[in-house]
Amino acid sequence: MEVSMFLNTLTPKFYVALTGTSSLISGLILIFEWWYFRKYGTSFIEQVSVSHLRPLLGGVDNSSPTNSSTSNGDADSNRQSVSECKVWRNPLNLFRGAEYNRYTWVTGREPLTYYDMNLSAQDHQTFFTCDSDHLRPADAIMQKAWRERNPQARISAAHESLELEDCATASILLAEEEATTIVEAEKLFKQALKAGEGCFRRSQQLQHHGAQYEAQHRRDTNVLVYIKRRLAMCSRKLGRTREAVKMLRDLMKEFPLLSMFNIHENLLESLLELQNYADVQAVLAKYDDISLPKSATICYTAALLKARAVSDKFSPEAASRRGLSTAEMNAVEAIHRAVEFNPHVPKYLLEMKSLILPPEHILKRGDSEAIAYAFFHLQHWKRVEGALNLLHCTWEGTFRMIPYPLEKGHLFYPYPICTETADRELLPTVFHEVSVYPKKELPFFILFTAGLCSFTAMLALLTHQFPELMGVFAKAFLSTLFAPLNFIMEKVESILPSSLWHQLTRI
């Protein structure tokens, strides 16, 4: 009853002043929130609620930023002039005949894009041919075969070349594209190895006799390294992992200067399968602390080893109460470093996004590299107890650490803006949604404040133009809003004795 009397005494001027004042206050809050977001990349209200109110209410901030060393930042930023969107050969690329074609037979889908296969054709021409191939009939046939777009024509040319002589590159082509099982591929690669070693020894003796012989030796070296690497991968796929590790180690010792082939990534994956973490750490120490371009394999393997030391006992609730220990801090920093290098990987490791067969070429820091890494390394993360839980609790905190705007970067040079375009060329977008770098979106409180400001401004304008009508609407709204309270008060008044109710109302 008192509420109704109060509402009846309000004039239209009161509603105009009320809505105008509300609109002004919400507008000032919106301006402050927007300025704070532009400067720090987060909402002020959200920051206060996460940092101060949430701990008081017993919540846990799983993505709170941690202090991280920026010692690598300057060194990496010096390489900004390097082509940021260079496409690399996938170190663990599958076999077309035994794996990619099998996927096509089962699903009817093409796992490789034309752009990806065209890059492979260019690689084959670069590494497996030279200007003097016309001097040997078998090599001349293979030079045409590598340029051929039709798979059956390439296979027929390889058979024709083998009829003339034991040609290493012809056996390579058949192992890659005609063999339907890894066992068949391994048999053909062993045949190629025998021929390749003979050519390598002959060209090694003649390499200093002129530019032509030097080119032949370079080609024969590439062929031999390729064969030995693929043989090691066959052993790995067939379960002979220790044999694969030995072959990869011997290959790296025999050709130590061919780091561009990233053979160490094959070695890391095989060592992880053996759970030989000490040797994994030794390989990382050699390849993670030099000026070579980093990779998801390097960064995420380092994070996995750091997480392995603490993940089995890690609890976000306990960490929020006592703080992170030194080992936990190191693990979180390693995860933040890995996520900043390639932010697409966690969704695949956490199975928030479906995996597909990896392409033959990858773009470092892109979705293609993330797929290639997760495809082979997801099992290694699952094998380490609690590692995926630690990743789940901490990976999103990376984006709070990166300076805003995101183009600045933090531990690495800024994230390239061309990765999405290149990934769309490398990945089959028909059945795969390309992962895009997670941009910092406007926080909820800024959107809420903007909506509130717009709503109150509209109310202020309507109240100014139609004070009488808006007054009626306001009284009706407030009466409806307070109706439950009035109902409860009437019930309480009817139950309590009148004298007691009179005393309570006086209080």
Side-chain angles (χ1 to χ4, degrees), residues 9-67:
T9 59
L10 297 179
T11 63
K13 291 184 178 180
F14 170 80
Y15 294 108
V16 173
L18 177 64
T19 52
T21 304
S22 302
S23 178
L24 176 62
I25 293 174
S26 59
L28 292 175
I29 295 174
L30 175 62
I31 293 172
F32 174 75
E33 280 278 280
W34 179 254
W35 168 83
Y36 194 88
F37 176 75
R38 292 290 297 175
K39 186 173 183 180
Y40 300 104
T42 187
S43 163
F44 174 77
I45 299 175
E46 182 180 0
Q47 186 74 13
V48 171
S49 61
V50 168
S51 302
H52 303 287
L53 299 181
R54 197 172 177 183
L56 295 176
L57 298 175
V60 179
D61 183 15
N62 294 334
S63 58
S64 59
T66 59
N67 295 327

Side-chain angles (χ1 to χ4, degrees), residues 76-130:
D76 288 311
S77 63
N78 293 332
R79 297 198 299 274
Q80 290 186 23
S81 59
V82 179
S83 177
E84 294 175 333
C85 286
K86 177 182 177 182
V87 175
W88 298 75
R89 184 80 175 176
N90 182 3
L92 295 167
N93 67 299
L94 304 177
F95 294 85
R96 283 194 188 177
E99 293 173 307
Y100 286 121
N101 285 349
R102 188 176 297 277
Y103 177 82
T104 304
W105 299 336
V106 173
T107 65
R109 296 172 174 174
E110 291 292 340
L112 299 176
T113 63
Y114 177 80
Y115 176 73
D116 191 18
M117 291 189 289
N118 187 52
L119 290 175
S120 296
Q122 296 175 19
D123 291 341
H124 297 152
Q125 294 174 50
T126 301
F127 293 116
F128 299 154
T129 64
C130 65

Side-chain angles (χ1 to χ4, degrees), residues 199-217:
C199 292
F200 176 78
R201 283 193 297 268
R202 289 192 295 270
S203 64
Q204 190 176 32
Q205 296 172 357
L206 301 173
Q207 61 177 314
H208 301 299
H209 291 190
Q212 173 183 324
Y213 295 103
E214 186 177 346
Q216 283 184 1
H217 179 65

